[in-house]
């Protein structure tokens, strides 16, 4: 070996060694963290570490409300706690889990639950909550995965029918005409449809169209089995398709709006199917629009709506789960949820607080009334991809065959549900 | 005092006054090697490992609980038969159309702009150069948002189209492919069975041939708009290196302006064209930020790109192996097309047929 070659070999060796050191350093550190933090034996970890809370905020109001609440708890309990507003929650959570230093508490959506639960990132603490029995049963079910109640639902929303009362009266309709059946919905939407106004608008997604499936008595998953192409679901899509073709229903995006609330605020739709977040949007962006909120009409299968919720996820790697649990109890307590409701318009996840909320928001009662029969979308691992694909197909529902769409969804869903 | 004089031996740089330079060289490049190794090479190797493992996103991918699963992740997106394969197929369909349209358009436009602003007679050259270059220095996020406004249902583009009596589409909400739309204009609304019944990567050939959706077409226009300025700069630099002599010689031979450009200037720009096309192809296949900030893959998945799909699989669906596998498949595809294009644009000797054109025709006495 010439000296030059030796030098080159030495250089390469040095780089490889340095690389290997970095790699093992990486591996070793995180491995230890992963092993130490997982308290799978049921004991909550406890330490003096400060609590970090990662939330995805809908806006200034929500951020401030959560920050204030956490600060109040911190002052009361003496445990240091801070709130971070995520710019991209999924990405920041994934980063935290991979690095072994996740936030202690964070907003967690039901469709992300299974993935994080499967890889052991989450601490299932639901049953340890002192107020575990006070939550709405469907919400608890929404956050139960493989028979474990993972996390406390922080609040929830349902969908209802929002009606523009000015357009309503201009079309000669009265309060008695508020639709309670599919036939009535079709009729009033036809009455309300004029040149620039569509009778009923909603987003081109199962998160809205799914209400019709629920009203027909269908749903994507029934008793743990995929039922996407059931007779009821076909009937629901046929109904929506017919009315889309008739022009009395329209997708919000097809009438130049980003979502239902915008179509409603701009007056291009007389009715929309939206959740209780529309209240804040109308107050901020379209304060001059008068409206009323009604329960969605019943279909052949009875009443039906969808619920949306998030929970307070807790990291398995959190070094201070005991304090985190106490913080969750504080944040989901009745008074605190009512304060959040006032600040940014959510509905409390505690059944026991429903009456207080109804009293405070008499005009929005239809939302909370829907809680009793609300369905939720499947939450199995990878179900989100099926939903995305379903949504992609629903966009062209007016030109497609409902049976074909639902058959393909059924195939995809069977692969996920097992 | 004795001075030792060493005679440098020919062919060896390790002796004499150059002794030790190699070591010094290594010391100087070491920081870069370490930084590149730490922040580029090692992460890439780790991602490669993740694409062959069942890592689920918790703790280090190198920990003992992570297993080697061979080509499982690659199989899921290429032969799995499920949604993952179909999504990957759709993303490839989208991006193939995107690259196919963006690269020629942006190369031609940037060359055209460069020739335009390279003319000595043009007044206000500096202004035009800046104006054409401006979109390139603006953040792609800002341009995407601008584009969403311009191409909305009631946006400027549709307003302009309305002047000439065209009702513009709702650009970013329109999932229909432009080839399909053109065919529909001719009365063809469904493909022959040979196309609709044959699937490649879970997407029927008829769907592969749909063309970019209207939404993706808006992104294609945006890419051409934003990148042409950068490439124009490269072409200006190249044009200024082209000497005038050959052009003058051509003029003496009676070549007109177009012939001089086509036969004299353009061949001399070959290295720059190679650079521009290569950068265009690489940038085209990797489109991500426009999709992330703009449409998130919608409408009807027609703007999903492999880079966005890779991100989505990993961060949203927690399928880290699949996400990395997509990223490496994308890497292989880009390498493949770069090699193909290098081969196409290689320097070739003048072919006999071509040379014959320039031969002096004899025997005409």
């Amino acid at each position: 070996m010439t000296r030059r070659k030796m030098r080159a070999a030495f250089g390469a060796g040095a780089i490889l060694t340095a690389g290997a050191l970095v790699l093992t350093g990486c591996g070793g550190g995180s491995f230890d963290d992963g092993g130490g933090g997982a308290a799978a034996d049921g004991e909550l970890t406890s330490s003096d570490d400060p609590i970090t809370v990662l939330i995805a905020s809908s806006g200034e109001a929500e951020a401030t409300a959560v920050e204030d609440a956490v600060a109040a708890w911190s002052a009361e309990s003496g445990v240091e706690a801070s709130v971070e507003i995520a710019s991209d929650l999924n990405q920041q959570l994934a980063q935290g889990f991979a690095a072994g230093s996740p936030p202690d508490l964070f907003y967690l959506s039901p469709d992300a639950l299974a993935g994080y639960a499967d890889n052991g990132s989450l601490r299932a603490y639901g049953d340890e909550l002192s107020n575990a029995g006070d939550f709405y049963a469907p919400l608890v079910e929404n956050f139960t995965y493989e028979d474990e109640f993972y996390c406390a639902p922080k609040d929830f929303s349902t969908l209802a029918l929002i009606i523009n009362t000015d357009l309503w009266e201009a079309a000669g309709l009265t309060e008695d005409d508020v639709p309670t059946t599919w036939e009535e919905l079709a009729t009033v939407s036809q009455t309300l449809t004029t040149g620039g106004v569509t009778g009923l608008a909603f987003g081109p997604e199962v998160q809205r169209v799914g209400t019709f499936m629920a009203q027909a008595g269908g749903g994507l998953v029934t008793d743990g089995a995929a039922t996407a192409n059931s007779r009821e679901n076909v009937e629901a899509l046929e109904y929506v398709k017919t009315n889309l073709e008739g022009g009395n229903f329209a997708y919000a995006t097809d009438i130049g709006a980003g979502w239902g609330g915008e179509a409603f605020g701009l007056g291009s739709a007389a009715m929309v199917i939206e959740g209780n977040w529309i209240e804040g949007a109308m107050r901020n962006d379209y304060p001059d629009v008068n409206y009323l909120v009604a329960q969605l009409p019943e279909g052949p299968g009875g009443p039906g709506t969808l619920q949306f919720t998030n929970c307070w996820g807790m990291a398995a790697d959190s070094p201070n789960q005991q304090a985190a649990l106490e913080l969750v109890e504080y944040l989901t307590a009745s008074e605190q949820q009512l304060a959040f409701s006032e600040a940014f318009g959510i509905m409390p996840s505690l059944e026991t607080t429903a009456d207080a909320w109804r009293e405070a928001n008499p005009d929005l009662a239809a939302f909370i009334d829907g809680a009793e029969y609300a369905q939720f979308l499947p939450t199995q691992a990878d179900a989100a991809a099926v939903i995305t694909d379903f949504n992609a197909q629903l966009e062209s529902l007016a030109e497609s065959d409902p049976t074909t769409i639902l058959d393909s969804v059924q195939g995809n869903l069977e692969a996920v549900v097992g | 005092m004795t001075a030792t004089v060493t005679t440098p031996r020919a062919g060896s740089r390790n002796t004499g006054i150059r002794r030790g330079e190699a070591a010094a060289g290594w010391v100087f490049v070491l920081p870069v090697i370490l930084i590149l190794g730490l922040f580029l090479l090692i992460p890439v190797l780790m991602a490669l490992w993740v694409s062959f493992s069942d890592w689920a996103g918790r703790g280090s991918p190198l920990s003992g609980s992570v297993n080697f699963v061979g080509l499982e992740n690659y199989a899921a997106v290429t032969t799995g038969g499920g949604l993952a394969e179909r999504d990957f197929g759709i993303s490839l369909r989208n991006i193939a159309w995107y690259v196919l349209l963006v690269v020629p358009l942006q190369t031609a436009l940037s060359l055209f702009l460069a020739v335009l602003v390279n003319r000595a007679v043009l007044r206000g050259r500096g202004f035009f150069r800046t104006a054409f270059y401006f979109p390139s220095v603006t953040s792609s996020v800002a341009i995407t948002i601008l584009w969403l406004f311009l191409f909305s249902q009631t946006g400027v583009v549709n307003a302009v189209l309305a002047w000439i009596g065209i009702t513009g589409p709702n650009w970013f909400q329109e999932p229909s492919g432009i080839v399909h739309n053109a065919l529909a204009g001719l009365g063809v609304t469904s493909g022959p069975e040979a196309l609709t019944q044959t699937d490649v990567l879970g997407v029927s050939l008829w769907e592969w041939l749909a063309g970019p959706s209207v939404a993706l077409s808006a992104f294609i226009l945006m890419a051409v708009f934003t990148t042409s300025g950068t490439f124009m700069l490269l072409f200006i630099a190249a044009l200024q290196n082209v000497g005038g002599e050959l052009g003058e010689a051509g003029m003496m031979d009676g070549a007109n302006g177009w012939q001089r450009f086509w036969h004299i200037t353009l061949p001399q720009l070959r290295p720059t064209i190679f650079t521009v096309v290569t950068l265009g192809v690489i940038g085209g296949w990797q489109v991500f930020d426009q999709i992330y900030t703009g449409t998130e893959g919608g409408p009807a998945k027609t703007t999903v790109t492999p880079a966005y799909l890779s991100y989505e699989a990993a961060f949203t669906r927690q399928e880290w192996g699949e996400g990395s596998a997509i990223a490496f498949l994308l890497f292989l595809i880009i390498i493949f097309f770069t090699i193909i294009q290098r081969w196409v644009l290689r320097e070739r000797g003048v072919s006999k047929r071509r040379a014959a054109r320039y031969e002096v025709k004899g025997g005409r006495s």
Side-chain angles (χ1 to χ4, degrees):
Chain A
M1 201 185 251
T2 67
R3 196 181 286 183
R4 195 167 155 205
K5 274 191 183 153
M6 270 174 67
R7 283 238 173 92
F10 172 75
I15 294 163
L16 283 177
T17 318
L21 281 175
V22 173
L23 281 174
T24 45
C26 247
S30 300
F31 183 62
D32 288 348
D33 287 350
D41 48 2
E43 280 293 300
L44 291 169
T45 59
S46 184
S47 68
D48 294 334
D49 291 28
I51 299 280
T52 51
V53 182
L54 182 69
I55 68 167
S57 174
S58 60
E60 192 67 34
E62 180 168 2
T64 316
V66 176
E67 273 165 1
D68 290 351
V70 170
W73 173 81
S74 185
E76 196 181 295
S77 66
V79 180
E80 244 180 272
S82 60
V83 177
E84 194 189 337
I85 315 294
S87 52
D88 185 333
L89 185 73
N90 279 330
Q91 193 232 312
Q92 281 169 262
L93 270 185
Q95 232 169 0
F97 289 137
S101 56
D104 302 279
L105 286 179
F106 42 87
Y107 279 14
L108 183 67
S109 66
D111 58 340
L113 175 77
Y116 287 134
D118 276 339
N119 71 17
S121 296
L122 294 182
R123 176 72 168 84
Y125 67 87
D127 292 330
E128 285 159 67
L129 287 163
S130 56
N131 54 357
D134 297 344
F135 296 104
Y136 278 102
L139 295 176
V140 171
E141 198 189 330
N142 213 175
F143 291 111
T144 301
Y145 179 67
E146 295 188 337
D147 295 330
E148 276 196 276
F149 176 24
Y150 263 85
C151 49
K154 73 181 180 67
D155 49 46
F156 80 114
S157 311
T158 61
L159 297 174
L161 190 66
I162 324 293
I163 299 171
N164 183 320
T165 42
D166 294 334
L167 292 172
W168 189 259
E169 279 159 23
L173 295 165
T174 65
E175 219 160 90
D176 297 336
D177 296 314
V178 172
T180 54
T181 65
W182 278 8
E183 294 74 38
E184 289 174 20
L185 181 67
T187 316
V188 294
S189 63
Q190 275 157 8
T191 313
L192 287 164
T193 303
T194 58
V197 182
T198 307
L200 174 68
F202 43 87
E205 58 214 356
V206 65
Q207 286 84 345
R208 302 290 178 279
V209 178
T211 56
F212 293 100
M213 288 161 46
Q215 290 150 17
L220 288 174
V221 173
T222 314
D223 298 330
T227 52
N229 60 355
S230 66
R231 195 175 43 76
E232 292 84 2
N233 289 346
V234 174
E235 189 182 0
L237 290 202
E238 295 280 4
Y239 172 78
V240 175
K241 180 182 157 84
T242 312
N243 286 287
L244 283 175
E245 283 170 342
N248 49 320
F249 287 10
Y251 286 144
T253 44
D254 287 339
I255 51 175
W259 64 293
E262 191 182 344
F264 190 71
L266 294 172
S268 43
M271 300 186 285
V272 287
I273 299 173
E274 273 303 335
N276 30 303
W277 47 80
I278 198 171
E279 199 256 342
M282 298 310 284
R283 197 174 38 198
N284 290 331
D285 301 337
Y286 310 102
D288 302 330
V289 178
N290 299 309
Y291 63 95
L292 69 88
V293 180
Q295 290 192 62
L296 288 167
E298 288 184 24
T305 186
L306 296 177
Q307 76 180 26
F308 301 96
T309 180
N310 268 316
C311 78
W312 287 106
M314 189 190 290
D317 285 340
S318 162
N320 201 356
Q321 292 168 337
Q322 189 57 50
L325 183 76
E326 282 158 26
L327 176 54
V328 170
E329 283 172 345
Y330 179 87
L331 291 172
T332 54
S334 197
E335 318 78 77
Q336 190 52 56
Q337 288 208 50
L338 285 172
F340 283 153
S341 164
E342 204 170 311
F344 54 100
I346 48 90
M347 293 199 293
S349 54
L350 299 168
E351 202 161 0
T352 44
T353 313
D355 287 335
W357 191 85
R358 206 174 269 126
E359 227 162 83
N361 305 280
D363 297 338
L364 306 176
F367 287 118
I368 208 147
D369 292 339
E372 283 168 34
Y373 51 83
Q375 286 190 2
F376 53 87
L377 297 174
T379 53
Q380 284 79 1
D382 272 350
V386 179
I387 301 290
T388 311
D389 190 69
F390 191 11
N391 284 343
Q393 298 195 59
L394 278 177
E395 287 187 32
S396 50
L397 175 62
E399 298 90 47
S400 315
D401 172 32
T403 318
T404 317
I405 296 180
L406 290 168
D407 283 343
S408 79
V409 176
Q410 176 75 12
N412 295 333
L413 203 55
E414 278 169 4
V416 167
V417 176
Chain B
M1 221 206 284
T2 32
T4 23
V5 180
T6 44
T7 2
R9 271 179 296 160
S12 167
R13 288 148 68 204
N14 290 334
T15 52
I17 53 168
R18 295 191 176 273
R19 183 191 294 274
E21 274 189 6
W26 278 111
V27 170
F28 277 114
V29 293
L30 195 64
V32 174
I33 291 177
L34 281 182
I35 290 169
L36 280 186
L38 189 59
F39 294 107
L40 191 77
L41 186 66
I42 293 174
V44 168
L45 290 178
M46 281 173 81
L48 186 63
W49 159 246
V50 167
S51 75
F52 290 109
S53 78
D54 63 355
W55 186 59
R58 177 155 185 258
S60 164
L62 299 169
S63 73
S65 56
V66 178
N67 305 306
F68 177 76
V69 294
L71 288 171
E72 209 173 272
N73 292 316
Y74 289 87
V77 294
T78 52
T79 56
L83 257 186
E85 182 194 344
R86 198 178 127 75
D87 284 350
F88 185 59
I90 290 175
S91 76
L92 283 188
R93 189 270 312 262
N94 296 339
I95 202 72
W97 281 106
Y98 180 91
V99 173
L100 193 71
L101 290 168
V102 165
V103 172
L105 283 176
Q106 78 187 12
T107 310
L109 181 65
S110 53
L111 180 59
F112 175 72
L113 293 178
V115 171
L116 219 59
V117 298
N118 195 43
R119 292 157 68 115
V121 292
L122 183 72
R123 274 169 183 272
R125 276 199 300 176
F127 168 76
F128 285 108
R129 286 184 188 185
T130 315
F132 295 148
Y133 188 58
F134 203 69
S136 305
V137 290
T138 313
S139 130
S140 63
V141 174
I143 298 256
T144 307
I145 292 166
L146 171 78
W147 228 248
L148 291 176
F149 277 111
L150 289 180
F151 283 80
S152 76
Q153 174 98 70
T154 50
V156 176
V157 173
N158 280 353
V160 172
L161 287 177
W163 292 345
I164 50 171
I166 300 175
T167 314
N170 191 356
W171 294 83
F172 282 108
Q173 304 298 337
E174 184 52 63
S176 60
I178 58 172
V179 174
H180 274 185
N181 285 347
L183 287 173
L186 299 171
V188 185
T189 49
S190 62
E193 214 149 84
L195 292 181
T196 51
Q197 298 303 316
T198 320
D199 283 9
V200 176
L201 288 173
V203 181
S204 74
L205 286 178
W206 177 244
E207 283 301 315
W208 277 91
L209 295 175
S213 68
V214 174
L216 191 62
S217 305
F219 278 121
I220 289 173
L221 293 176
M222 182 169 105
V224 173
F225 174 71
T226 50
T227 50
S228 296
T230 316
F231 294 141
M232 173 194 77
L233 219 57
L234 294 182
F235 277 124
I236 291 178
L239 281 171
Q240 288 178 347
N241 272 331
V242 171
E245 303 82 7
L246 286 175
E248 281 164 18
M251 224 183 286
M252 295 302 289
D253 285 346
N256 63 26
W258 175 250
Q259 286 170 328
R260 287 203 305 278
F261 174 74
W262 191 252
H263 293 294
I264 296 172
T265 312
L266 201 60
Q268 296 185 74
L269 294 177
R270 191 201 299 270
T272 314
I273 295 175
F274 175 74
T275 310
V276 167
V277 174
T278 307
L279 292 176
V281 166
I282 293 174
W285 280 93
Q286 291 181 333
V287 172
F288 175 80
D289 15 356
Q290 293 89 318
I291 310 303
Y292 179 75
T293 41
T295 55
E296 297 188 351
K301 295 191 181 177
T302 58
T303 59
V304 171
T305 64
Y308 181 75
L309 189 67
S310 159
Y311 167 84
E312 205 255 352
F315 284 96
T316 315
R317 291 195 284 122
Q318 301 299 312
E319 297 286 354
W320 294 85
E322 248 174 54
S324 323
I326 294 170
F328 279 96
L329 288 171
L330 185 60
F331 170 73
L332 292 178
I333 290 169
I334 292 175
I335 296 279
F336 173 76
F337 277 100
T338 310
I339 291 171
I340 291 273
Q341 181 221 330
R342 208 186 149 86
W343 179 78
V344 170
L345 280 177
R346 74 193 185 281
E347 287 284 350
R348 270 167 289 205
V350 181
S351 69
K352 275 190 184 158
R353 193 168 56 86
R354 205 151 179 200
R357 273 199 246 159
Y358 299 99
E359 265 167 26
V360 183
K361 305 271 190 315
R364 230 199 271 165
S365 52

